[in-house]
Amino acid sequence: MTDVTPYLIVSAVLFSIGATGVLIRRNAIVVFMCIELMLNAANLSLVSFSNLHGNLEGQVTAFFVMVVAAAEVVIGLAIIMTIFRSRRSASIDDASLLKW
Amino acid sequence: MNGFVSPHLEYSLLWPIFVVFGVACVGILVEAFAPRERRYATQVALTLIGLVIALVRVIIIGVDVTPRTVAEGALVVDGPGVFLWGVILVVAIAGVLLFAERQLDTGVSAFAGQAAALPGTAAERTAAQQGLDHTEVYPLLLFAVGGMMLFPVAGDLLMLFVALEVLSLPLYLLVGLARRRRLLSQEAALKYFLLGAFSSGFFIYGISLVYGYAGTMDLAGIGDVVQHGGANHGLLIAGMGLMAVGLLFKVGAVPFHSWTPDVYQGAPTAVTAWMSAATKVAAFGALLRLFVVAFGHDRLTWQPVMGAVAIATMLFGAAIAVVQTDVKRMLAYSAIAHTGFLLTGMIGFTAGDGDGTDATHAILFYLLAYSVATIGAFALVSVVRDSNGEATDFGKWTGLGKRSPLVAGLFTLFLFSMAGLPLTGGFIGKWEVFTVALRAGYWPVVVVAIAASIVSVFFYVRFVLLLFFTQAQKEVVTGGEGTTTAVVAVPAWGSIVVIGACALATVLLGVVPDPVLQLIENAGSFIR
Amino acid sequence: MIATLCLVPLIGALCSALVGRRSDMAARQVAIAFALATLAVAIVATFRFDRSGSGFQETYSVDWISRIGVHLALGLDGMALLLILLTAALVPIVMLTALRSHTYGWFAWALALTSFALVVFSATDLFLFYVFFEATLIPAYFMIGGHGGPQRSFAALKFLMYQLGGGLVLLGGVIGFYAVQPDSPSYLLTDLQHADIGTVAGRWIFVAFFIGFAVKAPLFPFHTWLADTSESATPQTSVLLVCVLDKIGTFGMLRFCLGLLPEASAWATPVVVALCLISIVYGAFLAIGQDDLLRLIGLTSLSHFGFIALGIFVLTPTGGGSAEGASGAIIYMVNHGVATAAMFLVAAYLIERKGSASIRAIRGVERSAPVLAGLLLVAGLATAGLPGLSQFVSEILVIIGAFAYHWWVGAIAVTAVVLAAIYVLWMYQRTMTGPPDPVSVGGAATADLTRTEVAIVAPLMIALVLFGFYPAPLLDLANPVIAAVTR
Amino acid sequence: MVSNVLPFVIALPLLGAAVLLIGGRRTDSWGPYLATLLPIASFVCALVLFVHTLGQPDDARSQSVHLWTWFEAGKLNVGADLLYDQLSSLFLLLITGVGSLIHVYSLGYMAHDERKRRFFGYLNLFVAAMLTLVLAANYLVLFLGWEGVGLASYLLIGFWQHKPSAAAAAKKAFVMNRVGDMGLSLAIALCFTTFGSTSFDVVNAGAQHAGETTMTWLGLLLLLGACGKSAQVPLQAWLLDAMEGPTPVSALIHAATMVTAGVYLMVRSHAILDAAPVARTAVVVVATVTLLWGAIIGTAKDDIKKVLAGSTMSQIGYMMLAAGLGPAGYAFAIFHLLTHGFFKANMFLGAGSVMHAMDDDVDMRHYGALRRAMPVTFLTFAMGYLAIIGFPGFSGFWSKDKIIDAAWHEHWWIGALALFGAGITAFYMTRLMLMTFFTEKRWRDGVHPHESPSIMTGPLVVLAALSVLGGVMLLGSWIQDYLAPIVGEPPEESSGAPAWLISLLAVLVVACGVALAWFLVGRRPVPDTAPTDVRWPVAVARQDLYGDEINDTFVILPGRKLTGALLEIDKYGVDGLMTGGPVAVGAFAGIFRKAQNGFVRSYALSVLGGAVVVVLALMVVNWQ
């Protein structure tokens, strides 16, 4: 039984950095990367808890998260690419026609 | 170590899901190998057949369902789950029929000829001239349907997360595939994707915390731990909250609603019609199961918060809808308001015998009634057109009742159902959710819900007024440039069937709701 | 029997809508035929009704939504029968006056409205009542929006918003009734009467019910739709709204508030009485200040609905338990319906001739159209509660009941006697008397009513006089209802 | 006998009204004659009944007739019941008798009016309603008749509707009457709550046993009703305007019958007044004020009908005064009512005859020296004149004298004021006589006075005879004895001045009044237009003692302002509150839709913020 608190703190910090990044960065790719960071923060805490509880469910989940992240990349990049091609800009602030 | 034990899968119960995913995979193959001109017919037929087979199987399962855990605990087949399957599949069939619509826009579908082609370039024109179609939308739809079917029957947190992603990813793509107004559509896709991914980040982080609290991914197992008290309650609270964020985002609850109007407006109308119903059905199924089965014993913690979210959602959705001038956007905000009403049902958890059965039933009925109304309404939006395609501006709808009483009348019917007027399904739905909330003692929420209903009635009724009693600014010049009002295009039989069936269902659910109520009652409750 | 009664106009609405695609005029005639048939059925029902019997008669009940204890349950008691007769009698008359000026769509909607209203009056299941209570709004909405003045679409919106708003508040009460029955809930009135509703819950339900009905009736401060609607809708539509539909409000107060929630009704009586008194006086003052004939007639009803509600609520133990006032209130509903309908329809004739409902634009009509003026005066005086005309009996009964509650309640209510005289006679003075107005539609003097036109409104006038001197047929039906509620 | 005939007394004129008003133009030719015959038939019935009951013992003279149950609700049971007793029998004769004469007169007076038929219809309606009023056996049926006469009065005052003044006067009369009706309505309610019934039997029987406060209130409410109908201060202002109606109407309704209904009501409710001294005092005060008020108005008017109207008001004040004096005065109230009915009808019809001759000019300044041109009118009018001023031997002398006498016994200053009123009466009536029939001609050009046709003078002669001979009813205290079973025995005269002294005083005062009039009017030329440089008492009297101004200032103007204010409140306040909902929602939405600014990053912020809030909220909830 190890103390998982430091891992969790790191995980929380990572998550916060990711979330903050989403809020402050304009480039769609960077925003997307920040989201990946959040997923990975979750992975870290999953693995830590898995260790804490002594079962493998958390670790298995972490793998699934990675797979899902990969799938998300595929979809996300496709969408970002289309937008970039139409607008010649990867700034997410430019895409603001739909409002109110 | 006993070596590898192959997992036991209850194929007889699961094969509706397998059929859907299987057909989706076949659809990919069709895209790869079938000649371009045959793909449309093949895909539509294949998808429909697959969905119908799945539906038939679901019905057979549903006739005599014994609630049980299947697939080694990853999935749960019980009454509400099967009922939701049925609803999702019916909605999906309607979606396919709407996707297949090619008559409205001179023989092409509402989807972009070639999504990769830039708007306004030669490539796009070529694609249009060749009558190209993204027939991938059908497999995409099927994958999403598969995810939706998994979502409410997920038995553990992992499956919940996977199902969420499986249903979301195809949707992100579908949203961006509109043939007209490409920029808006792409923007909607980008927003939906980024925010969806963002919220699933919260969701998975919440999963990790809940897992950390309970030490298990199994929903029923979590329920046990919650009942008997876990080690670190703070983890549960935080995890519960973050998971709620992910799900509330999917259903479009305030303050996680921001994507809804933009996406509903930007997406191809057929997609909007289908996803507005299907996503909500699936996500509410999951929300219900998670909060009933896993967190049900801690309901005193989450119910007040859920009530507050419900209040905010209802008021916000209804109020902002009042100032909209675009039909799709108005319906989007109305969808937010309906999320609020559904959440009102969520907190009616203690009503009845305290295991959430009544609340579940109320929400199931509401989902069904809302689905048929919203699909019908969006389907009608797609047939009201001017020279630039769909006419969604209020001004173009002015006086439609004089030019096309049938379309205006049906639209009125759907609006009235959403407004919850008696003799429509929406009324019974509203009655159900309000009743359970009131029985659970959450009368302030019900009071607000009634106030929000009044507000929402206002914009529905005002729109009906616009349809029937406001004079059109200019007489219609059919087909010509610069027409100020829209005309009704005749859709293909698929859309007609969908609209007709939705109208019929709306009326039947309002006038003779007993069979459906009975069906839902027979579905029993979630197993815990 | 009742099912037939409710179905005949509905079938008529469908027939008329179908025929209307071929021939507009034929469809209107079909509608009138069905309205007359409805009246015939209603009369038959009246003869079959056993006046000495108590409780509901001609009951009809089948399960509708069994899961939530809802029945398609219909039945007649004296009050229901009175209002059904009023409805069935007014509709053909209104339709006859509307024959030339309204399209078939209006006729079809009017029949649909009739059908729904008949269900509302005869419903013995709260849920059924509510459903049709709301359903009546849809035909009303199309009738207001389809015909009438330039502001009609605004008026229709305002009307519907008020009514739906009130209806949704009422829905809260309806749901409350369900929520307080823990096992085997039912919406049948007979079951609800025995339901054990807690004091607090009962009061909340009462508040919801009362607000819903007060919007419908209307009572101060929920009345502001009334004037706009009566100004913008055609007088014929207004008749159906004010004389038939709005009765649902006061009908509901007696049947549901007092009938099902006696304790809460008694608790609320002081406040309700205050609202009634404000309505009576305030409505009369507003009517005095109107420059539009139809607005004026509409606003007089605010005052009258104040009287009706006052009569109903003095029946509660806190209100003094005056059966006189309550019986008076029931027949007030009928008499007000007849008198106000007469007023609206005669005004309709006048407006048709003058092309305007503005009181300023009408002068000296009596000179060239004495019959029209005379009928307007009779209807107006009936509205003002002149003894010998039907409304007096109901009004004095309510005043007696109010006086028995508190002398000052009666004293405030009785001021309406003066105020009503002012609004009726001042209106009459401005429009009918004086030198004839040289400017008129077509340049000629205002033509008097034709024989046909007189014949159409004659039944109303006869009823005004007949029930003024011999209200026993009405009271015989009303008194047992009050006895039943008190018990 | 009574039960068989009595309904016909009412039904006959009612039938006439129905035939004439519903029958329309078809009845134009013969309708007026039918309408004249029917009241005469009623009169015959009344006479037969009177003679019939006269031959019966006292207790048999009072009979009630139940026609049908009017309405029944809760504990209230109101029958359409008629009561024939000594009191109503006299009224019956007066109404049908004078009514018939006036119908006959109207045949001549209205001969050239194109809407004659309607006039007769209304007259018949009035007679029927008035008969209902006096034959009622309970307050509700009385109220029916009460309002019926109000309606007929409204229709007849406004008969010449094309004149805006007539239409306005009609409305004013009806509305002011309705103010009184509020009192009557509440009195009915109070009767019911106190006695459980509204019939006279029950009320009169129970009055002694009920509490005095209740009886006081009841008496005051009835007084309010009586004030409206009988034009007593403060509800007097309508009567002068009511002269806009055709003159026979003024004679029948606003002099002989309807306006005396208040007196009838007081006498009918004698048991209540007897049990409520405070209410009786109030009656006396109101009556005294009114008798002076009316008399003062009468002195300053140039319009012959308005002088008579003022005089009517004043005379009714005498009757009310008598009624307020209690058992001592009831019989005299009725007595004066009857004699007044004769002589005032006589004079009004005479005035009508004069107007007829003067081309409908009503200004006495344009009359003068008419006694030669219209001798019959002059002579009959003179009989009425002598009666009203109380010339010894004439009917008015007997009746007024008795009232002054009774008033003197009540309190000396009441008697003094009544006496003073008699003096003013003598003054203004003499002034009227002088300006109309004596002094020099002041006729307009083209006016050729002539005697009226015999169909008009005939009724004048009959009424003149009655004016002279009305006093016979007092012979052997017949009227007191006749009415005693109904209103109670008058008390024995106890103290105060002897009756002959009062009579002498009265005659002296009257003589002074006449002499004053002679000095002021008879000896000087009458200016053709009213002088404007008059002293304030005249100015005030000409303005009806500012009755209208008081009403305008204290009632109508505030009423208008209130109406205007309420309209504003309704539009901006109540409606604003209700329709403000959408506006508020719109404003709310207008602000919050800005949050939907299209930028995905701010959407993400709301998601993140929402997540934080949700988690915090969960913690807060969990904390508790």
Side-chain angles (χ1 to χ4, degrees), chain B residues 313-394:
Chain B
T313 309
M314 290 182 287
L315 287 180
F316 189 86
I320 310 290
V322 170
V323 290
Q324 297 306 317
T325 52
D326 183 284
V327 181
K328 281 171 83 175
R329 217 168 161 80
M330 179 190 83
L331 288 174
Y333 279 107
S334 113
I336 295 175
H338 282 285
T339 296
F341 294 134
L342 282 159
L343 288 173
T344 308
M346 279 290 292
I347 59 169
F349 187 61
T350 35
D353 40 6
D355 60 357
T357 312
D358 283 2
T360 309
H361 293 165
I363 289 178
L364 292 184
F365 189 91
Y366 198 111
L367 283 170
L368 186 59
Y370 170 72
S371 298
V372 292
T374 191
I375 293 176
F378 276 113
L380 284 174
V381 169
S382 68
V383 305
V384 178
R385 311 179 76 88
D386 64 7
S387 52
N388 295 320
E390 286 163 7
T392 56
D393 191 67
F394 275 18

Side-chain angles (χ1 to χ4, degrees), chain D residues 122 296 494 606:
Chain D
Y122 295 158
I296 291 169
S494 48
S606 91

Side-chain angles (χ1 to χ4, degrees), chain D residues 301-302 363-368 431 435 439-444 520-534 542:
Chain D
K301 291 289 171 187
D302 292 331
D363 193 339
M364 295 192 297
R365 293 184 188 276
H366 304 158
Y367 295 170
R431 173 172 173 268
M435 286 174 81
T439 62
E440 75 280 17
K441 291 186 205 175
R442 298 179 301 276
W443 307 342
R444 305 279 93 165
L520 290 180
V521 182
R523 292 200 319 161
R524 301 189 209 164
V526 178
D528 198 45
T529 51
T532 47
D533 54 335
V534 290
R542 276 188 188 161

